[in-house]
Structure formats: C-alpha cells, structure tokens
Amino acid sequence: MEPVGEVTGVAGGVVVARADDESTPGIGNEVVDDSLDRVGSVVDVFGPVERPYVAVSPDDGVRTATLVGERLYAR
C-alpha cells in the first residue's frame, strides 16, 4: 500500500488529503483507511509539487466527516 496522506477536509462531497511528500497515487487508484475499508478513488492531484493535495471521490455510504484527520492509503 502507498500512503495518500492525512485528510484535511471535505469540499463539495470530495475528500481532500494532504500528501506527506511529492509521491502521490495515480488518478483512479482505490483508496482505503487504516482498517483497509474502501473509502473511494483518487479523482485529482493538485497544489504544490513538494506536498500536493489528493482529491478522493468517496463511495456511497462513506461518512466523509469522520475521515477528517485520518490517514488514507492507495491500493
């Protein structure tokens, strides 16, 4: 598994995570939480190259507000 980063917020129904460094998952990659439960998939990578943001489209039924502050991973 590849780390995505820590969730900083939810905007317009999209979960936004801040990457730890310049390595980021590809668009379309599956995203899971610490428990390996599927959260959604990567839809965009944006911001500074050194530490970009990753936008994740959540799956139906995912409680996005509970993800703020949590770490996400790509499979």
Side-chain angles (χ1 to χ4, degrees), residues 3-72:
V4 170
E6 183 177 323
V7 176
T8 59
V10 179
V14 175
V15 177
V16 179
R18 183 79 190 260
D20 297 329
D21 56 28
E22 66 277 348
S23 62
T24 57
I27 292 176
N29 279 29
E30 178 182 43
V31 177
V32 297
D33 61 13
D34 283 331
S35 303
L36 301 180
D37 293 326
R38 184 176 157 90
V39 172
S41 58
V42 176
V43 292
D44 197 10
V45 177
F46 60 96
V49 173
E50 298 82 24
R51 215 170 146 216
Y53 292 92
V54 178
V56 177
S57 176
D59 288 345
D60 291 338
V62 172
R63 298 177 63 189
T64 56
T66 63
L67 295 173
V68 176
E70 298 294 321
R71 296 200 54 76
L72 298 178

